[in-house]
């Protein structure tokens, strides 16, 4: 459940508060002795509250959130996740949890700073749900759990004294001024308010640097941001209604102009194929909006990226399976499989892929082949349609039975020439420095049983290997698989493709 709620929230917070993050980074360096500016008495014990927020549990629709995120993270779309997350949320509701309060306290900032108050009427049930996250291996292992009569609190050790006992809990809810600012956002069930106390703000402006260009990808001025911003309020709606809005309240219109420039620098880093939030200055406020249509466009773009990434991962895994089969074949016969099998007259019959079938778990399919007949014989040709998935490249739109996983043929390589089948003894450059199989361009696709060579053009090696792609997966003879960029120098690629050239390859040269 923690992951499901956290993913969209963290994305939007990081998107819309990119400059604010730089403030908190500097802040942790500028309050080495926070007690020097925080009075110890009860009346001012939260004068160092930096941010506070709320999650409305009644407005958390687990199934809608999973439906939105499943195209990006398919592992979420399972009965186990749906039932587990839905059951956890319902158990919290049954325990009297309606709204979860969040606060970030300055004196605990070096320990994370985040404190969570969970008001409830069944403390033990809530504590049992939260406790696993605080275990030694949990995401909140450095935090403490405090059980009160009407709430469960999770906080860093340094501020435990604020929450222990039977006295009133520190209030993380907005005061009148902050509430008025929140209301300018409209009706949001979940919110976050960043409001630096005046005493701390003065010190921050005095201490923070004017520029962080050497540490961030955009020119940021922490000092001027701290001086310009009074309050930032962020409102969030989770699926099925996806929306985030932020308003930055500044001292004056010139501060708005400066903050807008800083935010725009961060927004410009978002790839062009992704939607971007809109910025609207008005008087002494700057509004950022990321609407429902933007959110849907973002999910669609991320789903495509996730599919491509998943396909690459599966393609790499397929090459690893083939490498294992390749090794097992060598263990049995003492040599590598040939590029193809041939008859007594030297006529090509079947591809190397067929020879590996028994070592890939496809013995029944292997026995269907007539090994003394060519790939397109009356018996063997129908078996093209039974190509194992291991020869597939996920995401390809090739006709059934076609593959583009090939053995690269180049002078000096493991598959060059028609001599005896080679063995590990022939790979004098080292098995970790020699490529044996590559996912070739789609234009090279061939029937998986066909004994067809993939001969590389040495004069145009990058285009020959990559085609129009920016990278492809390659398997080395030791079984390792790497996605290699076409930016890799052609000479380095040739070194990797040859087996006995004696070249020394610097791993950093393989991009």
């Amino acid at each position: 459940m923690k992951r499901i709620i956290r993913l969209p929230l963290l994305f939007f917070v990081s998107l819309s508060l990119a400059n604010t993050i730089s403030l908190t980074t500097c802040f942790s360096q500028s309050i080495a002795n926070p007690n020097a500016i925080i009075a110890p008495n009860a009346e001012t014990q939260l004068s160092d509250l930096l941010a506070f927020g709320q999650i409305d549990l009644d407005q958390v629709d687990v199934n809608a959130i999973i439906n939105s995120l499943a195209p990006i993270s398919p592992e979420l779309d399972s009965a186990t996740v749906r039932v587990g997350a839905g059951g956890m949320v319902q158990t919290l509701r049954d325990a009297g949890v309606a709204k979860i309060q969040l606060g970030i306290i300055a004196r605990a900032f070096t320990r994370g700073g985040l404190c969570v108050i969970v008001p409830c009427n069944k403390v033990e049930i809530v504590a049992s749900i939260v406790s696993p996250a605080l275990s030694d291996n949990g995401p909140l292992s450095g935090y403490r759990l405090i059980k009160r009569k009407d709430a469960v609190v999770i906080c860093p050790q340094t501020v435990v004294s604020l929450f222990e006992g039977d006295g009133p809990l520190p209030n993380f809810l907005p005061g009148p001024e902050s509430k008025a600012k929140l209301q300018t956002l409209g009706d949001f069930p979940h919110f976050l308010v960043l409001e630096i106390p005046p005493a701390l703000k003065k010190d921050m402006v005095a201490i923070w640097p004017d520029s962080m260009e050497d540490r961030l990808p955009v020119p940021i001025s922490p000092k001027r941001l701290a001086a310009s911003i009074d309050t930032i309020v962020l409102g969030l709606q989770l699926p099925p209604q996806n929306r985030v809005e932020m308003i930055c309240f500044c001292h004056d219109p010139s501060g708005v102009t400066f903050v807008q420039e800083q935010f725009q620098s961060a927004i410009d880093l978002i790839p062009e194929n992704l939607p971007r939030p809109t910025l609207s200055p008005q008087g002494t406020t700057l509004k950022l909006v990321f609407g429902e249509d933007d959110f849907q466009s973002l999910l669609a773009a991320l789903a495509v990226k996730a599919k491509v990434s998943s396909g690459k991962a599966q393609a790499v895994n397929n090459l690893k399976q083939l490498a294992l089969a390749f090794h097992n074949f060598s263990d049995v016969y003492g040599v590598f499989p040939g590029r193809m099998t041939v008859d007594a007259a030297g006529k090509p019959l079947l591809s190397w892929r067929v020879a590996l079938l028994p070592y890939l778990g496809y013995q029944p399919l292997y026995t269907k082949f007539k090994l003394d007949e060519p790939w397109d014989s009356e018996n063997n040709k129908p078996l093209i349609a039974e190509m194992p998935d291991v020869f597939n490249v996920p995401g390809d739109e090739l006709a059934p039975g076609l593959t583009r996983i090939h053995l690269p043929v180049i002078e000096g390589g493991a598959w060059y020439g028609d001599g005896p089948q080679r063995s590990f003894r022939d790979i004098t450059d080292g098995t970790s420095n020699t490529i044996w199989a590559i996912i070739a361009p789609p234009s090279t696709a061939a029937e998986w049983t066909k004994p067809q060579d993939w001969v590389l053009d040495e004069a145009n090696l990058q285009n020959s290997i990559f085609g129009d792609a920016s990278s492809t997966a390659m398997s080395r003879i030791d079984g390792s698989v790497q996605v290699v960029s076409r930016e890799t120098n052609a000479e380095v690629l040739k070194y990797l493709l040859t087996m006995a050239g004696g070249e020394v390859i610097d791993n950093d040269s393989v991009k």
Side-chain angles (χ1 to χ4, degrees), residues 25-38:
T25 302
C26 293
F27 181 76
S28 64
Q29 300 169 357
S30 65
I31 55 169
N33 184 17
N35 290 323
I37 56 174
I38 299 171

Side-chain angles (χ1 to χ4, degrees), residues 100-141:
I100 299 173
Q101 300 174 20
L102 313 171
I104 297 179
I105 300 175
R107 75 192 80 178
F109 199 84
T110 56
R111 299 290 184 179
L114 178 65
C115 302
V116 182
I117 298 177
V118 188
C120 57
N121 53 36
K122 296 180 180 178
V123 171
E124 292 299 332
I125 291 177
V126 174
S128 68
I129 293 175
V130 174
S131 292
L134 279 75
S135 65
D136 290 341
N137 297 321
L140 300 175
S141 57

Side-chain angles (χ1 to χ4, degrees), residues 256-297:
V256 172
T257 300
F258 173 73
V259 174
Q260 182 178 5
E261 292 172 351
Q262 297 276 275
F263 274 60
Q264 190 62 54
S265 296
I267 291 172
D268 288 343
L269 294 178
I270 299 173
E272 292 184 1
N273 64 318
L274 297 180
R276 300 181 179 193
T278 58
L279 291 174
S280 304
Q282 185 174 4
T284 58
T285 64
L286 176 66
K287 189 173 186 178
L288 178 149
V289 176
F290 198 84
E292 187 167 358
D293 290 343
D294 298 318
F295 193 96
Q296 295 304 327
S297 297

Side-chain angles (χ1 to χ4, degrees), residues 21-292:
I21 292 173
S22 68
L23 299 182
T24 54
T25 302
C26 293
F27 181 76
S28 64
Q29 300 169 357
S30 65
I31 55 169
N33 184 17
N35 290 323
I37 56 174
I38 299 171
N41 57 72
E43 288 75 14
T44 58
Q45 65 179 1
L46 287 186
S47 65
D48 60 334
L49 185 65
L50 302 177
F52 56 89
Q54 177 179 278
I55 296 173
D56 188 340
L57 203 62
D58 289 334
Q59 299 298 315
V60 174
D61 185 333
V62 172
N63 280 322
I65 293 172
I66 292 176
N67 291 340
S68 292
L69 296 179
I72 303 170
S73 300
E75 68 273 12
L76 293 177
D77 193 12
S78 68
T80 300
V81 172
R82 288 183 183 272
V83 172
M88 184 183 298
V89 170
Q90 189 56 51
T91 300
L92 289 172
R93 289 172 180 158
D94 292 342
V97 180
K99 294 177 172 61
I100 299 173
Q101 300 174 20
L102 313 171
I104 297 179
I105 300 175
R107 75 192 80 178
F109 199 84
T110 56
R111 299 290 184 179
L114 178 65
C115 302
V116 182
I117 298 177
V118 188
C120 57
N121 53 36
K122 296 180 180 178
V123 171
E124 292 299 332
I125 291 177
V126 174
S128 68
I129 293 175
V130 174
S131 292
L134 279 75
S135 65
D136 290 341
N137 297 321
L140 300 175
S141 57
Y143 281 65
R144 283 280 307 278
L145 184 145
I146 302 166
K147 294 187 286 187
R148 296 172 55 98
K149 63 180 180 181
D150 56 354
V152 169
V153 178
I154 304 101
C155 67
Q157 176 68 39
T158 50
V159 290
V160 164
S161 60
L162 292 176
F163 304 99
E164 288 182 324
D166 298 324
L169 275 170
N171 189 359
F172 288 165
L173 296 177
E177 185 176 343
S178 297
K179 190 172 184 179
K181 291 178 178 178
L182 268 173
Q183 287 175 343
T184 61
L185 280 174
D187 185 22
F188 281 92
H190 320 292
F191 67 80
L192 179 69
V193 178
L194 177 67
E195 197 167 40
I196 309 299
L200 293 180
K201 187 181 185 72
K202 182 179 179 181
D203 287 339
M204 288 158 56
V205 173
I207 296 173
W208 282 5
D210 191 55
S211 174
M212 294 185 68
E213 290 188 37
D214 58 332
R215 292 156 60 183
L216 295 173
V218 292
I220 297 294
S221 174
K223 182 186 292 290
R224 290 189 63 189
L225 281 172
S228 301
I229 298 173
D230 282 332
T231 306
I232 294 176
V233 295
L234 176 74
L236 179 67
Q237 281 186 327
L238 297 176
Q241 292 179 313
N242 306 292
R243 188 164 58 104
V244 63
E245 291 187 16
M246 183 189 76
I247 298 180
C248 186
F249 294 84
C250 299
H251 291 310
D252 51 46
S254 64
V256 172
T257 300
F258 173 73
V259 174
Q260 182 178 5
E261 292 172 351
Q262 297 276 275
F263 274 60
Q264 190 62 54
S265 296
I267 291 172
D268 288 343
L269 294 178
I270 299 173
E272 292 184 1
N273 64 318
L274 297 180
R276 300 181 179 193
T278 58
L279 291 174
S280 304
Q282 185 174 4
T284 58
T285 64
L286 176 66
K287 189 173 186 178
L288 178 149
V289 176
F290 198 84
E292 187 167 358

Side-chain angles (χ1 to χ4, degrees), residues 440-453:
S443 60
T444 69
E447 290 83 357
W448 71 282
T449 59
K450 186 176 181 179
Q452 178 174 306
D453 283 337

